[in-house]
Amino acid sequence: MNQHLLGVATPNDWDRRGLPGWSYHSHALLELEKEHVFRNHWQIACHVSDVPDAGDYLAMDVIGERALIVRGKDGVVRGFHNMCRHRGSRVVADDKGHCRNALVCPFHGWVYNLDGTLRGAARPATFPDLDKNEFGLLPLDLEIWMGFVFIRFRNDGPQPSVADLLKPIEAEMAHYRSETMVPASGVWTQTSPVNWKSVRDVDNEGYHVAMAHPALQDLYGSTYFDEPFVKGISRSFATYNPHAGRRWSVRQYVRLAPEQARLPDYLKKAWVYYGIFPNAVISVMPESVQFYQEFPLSTGESLLRGAIYRYRDEGREQAAARYLSYRIDRDTMNEDVQLTVWSNESMLSKSFNGFYLSDLEYGVRTHHDHLREALPVLNLDDAPDEKEMAAVNAALRARR
């Protein structure tokens, strides 16, 4: 069976350069990225199982925005800006929690129903009549796909619906029934001292696996391949190496991992990664599914965020396999963090002359091309003046 889905081959003659070095440390560009790459593109907030019951909520603070995901009494999962309509306070202060039947702002006590409508203000006689909908929590664009909750901070984004965006991987992803899964632990976060694009650059190619990731190389061998970004989606695929087992975690994982009857043969011993522009990955393994993503905190620091989900009925062997795959992934992530630091450091050097990419790194180029489409100023080899960055970008957009 042909294991390629996206049907894109690496061209014979392509521009092997990456983004200009200045783009990794420009403060003005970062502000444009927040608005034109992050706020107006779909972001994974969580999974429906993170808010299983009415009144359960999850909050996410990224790129200067505060999102609140809450399940209503009607069972519907909704998204709002975590912002009281009175003075802008957070409506919930914790990252995750439960409220019995209403959300109460901790500042002045305004009360909101779980569907976001205003129930009432504290000391209502001091206000004119307040319309319950007009003064309700501001909604976010929200779509649920295979159990994953996607949100968008701006409703005029360039991407289609999540269902249309992810249509190329829908049939394959459906085999995993991720919508039925439950959290293995919870949403994790950590920071990394690099520009967010350096994180994505490393993750968008497997050329470095053989040298930098001994556990993955042991598990995959030569089976790994990348499919580059096409209309916002990429895919990477690998199956277990027949000779896997030099490392303890890999040896035990291959020995214990049960074959899932729900999966077709080509996926029973495969790890698959679906890249979602601009900054997310959904990774599927026979025993679990996870997402991970990165958000800029500054030009030189990123927030890494993700979560793992398991089958509700997993047995002991499946749980053990999930733990072992987590160990392999944990080591891989730590190795990648170091690689991103080394690569990102070079961007500040005047001696840095840019990337020269291998055919095995065409995924990096296609991600960069998606960024250039969103921000045409990235086509410039030399950085505009920081004060002129937004104007130059707007002028370039107007010429299209």
Side-chain angles (χ1 to χ4, degrees):
M1 179 176 182
N2 184 356
Q3 297 160 350
H4 289 72
L5 282 186
L6 305 183
V8 175
T10 303
N12 292 326
D13 185 17
W14 57 282
D15 189 341
R16 296 176 183 270
R17 295 175 299 169
L19 294 175
W22 64 261
S23 68
Y24 290 76
H25 53 81
S26 166
H27 297 284
L29 179 71
L30 176 59
E31 294 308 309
L32 293 178
E33 289 175 335
K34 289 177 182 178
E35 188 62 27
H36 298 290
V37 176
F38 287 93
R39 293 184 182 122
N40 68 346
H41 285 71
W42 292 109
Q43 302 294 340
I44 300 174
C46 61
H47 187 275
V48 291
S49 62
D50 289 308
V51 287
D53 301 316
D56 288 345
Y57 65 82
L58 180 142
M60 180 176 79
D61 293 8
V62 294
I63 44 132
E65 304 286 350
R66 304 193 306 244
L68 171 62
I69 312 301
V70 60
R71 188 180 289 271
K73 290 182 178 180
D74 55 3
V76 175
V77 176
R78 297 179 175 87
F80 305 100
H81 290 271
N82 185 10
M83 185 183 304
C84 181
R85 298 301 305 283
H86 173 218
R87 295 268 296 276
S89 169
R90 295 173 184 271
V91 178
V92 301
D94 298 327
D95 292 337
K96 185 178 175 66
H98 176 82
C99 52
R100 294 187 63 178
N101 55 29
L103 298 159
V104 182
C105 175
F107 194 175
H108 293 92
W110 280 37
V111 182
Y112 298 89
N113 297 310
L114 299 183
D115 64 2
T117 56
L118 177 68
R119 180 178 297 185
R123 303 183 70 177
T126 66
F127 292 93
D129 289 340
L130 299 175
D131 183 273
K132 308 306 184 188
N133 293 304
E134 181 183 352
F135 285 91
L137 297 175
L138 296 174
L140 294 169
D141 282 356
L142 183 148
E143 292 189 29
I144 296 171
W145 184 84
M146 302 284 179
F148 289 98
V149 179
F150 287 77
I151 61 170
R152 188 166 55 185
F153 292 103
R154 301 286 186 266
N155 60 13
D156 58 348
Q159 291 176 311
S161 69
V162 175
D164 287 343
L165 177 68
L166 302 184
K167 190 69 174 178
I169 62 173
E170 178 183 10
E172 184 171 84
M173 181 74 183
H175 293 299
Y176 294 89
R177 302 193 312 208
S178 58
E179 67 278 3
T180 69
M181 291 183 168
V182 296
S185 51
V187 176
W188 57 264
T189 60
Q190 71 177 68
T191 59
S192 183
V194 298
N195 185 274
W196 76 273
K197 294 186 292 299
S198 288
V199 181
R200 197 89 319 269
D201 288 345
V202 168
D203 203 59
N204 281 334
E205 52 88 4
Y207 181 38
H208 68 283
V209 169
M211 185 69 186
H213 296 317
L216 284 188
Q217 180 64 12
D218 186 11
L219 179 64
Y220 299 160
S222 61
T223 69
Y224 179 94
F225 63 85
D226 293 313
E227 295 182 83
F229 277 89
V230 179
K231 297 181 179 179
I233 301 298
S234 70
R235 177 177 176 267
S236 300
F237 183 95
T239 55
Y240 305 168
N241 170 19
H243 308 292
R246 293 189 302 275
R247 299 177 69 86
W248 183 87
S249 292
V250 175
R251 182 168 63 253
Q252 299 305 318
Y253 174 74
V254 172
R255 181 177 69 86
L256 290 174
E259 288 194 4
Q260 301 295 335
R262 63 175 64 89
L263 298 178
D265 287 345
Y266 82 103
L267 293 177
K268 286 181 177 178
K269 295 183 177 181
W271 284 18
V272 191
Y273 305 82
Y274 305 113
I276 305 170
F277 184 82
N279 63 319
V281 174
I282 293 177
S283 170
V284 294
M285 303 162 187
E287 68 284 340
S288 63
V289 170
Q290 65 175 311
F291 78 88
Y292 57 91
Q293 59 199 157
E294 63 281 333
F295 294 96
L297 295 173
S298 69
T299 58
E301 187 175 29
S302 297
L303 175 73
L304 311 181
R305 182 179 184 271
I308 301 173
Y309 301 91
R310 63 173 179 83
Y311 289 104
R312 192 183 300 271
D313 61 350
E314 75 173 4
R316 292 180 64 183
E317 286 189 340
Q318 199 169 5
R322 177 169 55 80
Y323 167 72
L324 290 163
S325 64
Y326 160 76
R327 281 178 56 113
I328 296 169
D329 252 359
R330 179 194 61 193
D331 291 347
T332 301
M333 187 174 77
N334 290 337
E335 291 155 359
D336 273 342
V337 166
Q338 182 60 72
L339 297 175
T340 62
V341 169
W342 288 337
S343 179
N344 196 240
E345 287 172 344
S346 67
M347 309 298 179
L348 292 170
S349 171
K350 293 182 179 179
S351 299
F352 179 71
N353 292 321
F355 294 169
Y356 189 76
L357 299 170
S358 159
D359 286 351
L360 299 176
E361 297 169 296
Y362 188 54
V364 176
R365 174 70 200 197
T366 55
H367 185 266
H368 288 183
D369 286 343
H370 279 58
L371 286 172
R372 292 183 180 97
E373 178 66 22
L375 292 171
V377 71
L378 290 170
N379 288 293
L380 302 180
D381 291 333
D382 297 322
D385 185 275
E386 287 284 283
K387 295 180 181 179
E388 301 296 326
M389 185 75 67
V392 171
N393 187 69
L396 292 170
R397 289 175 66 90
R399 294 177 189 172
R400 292 178 175 176

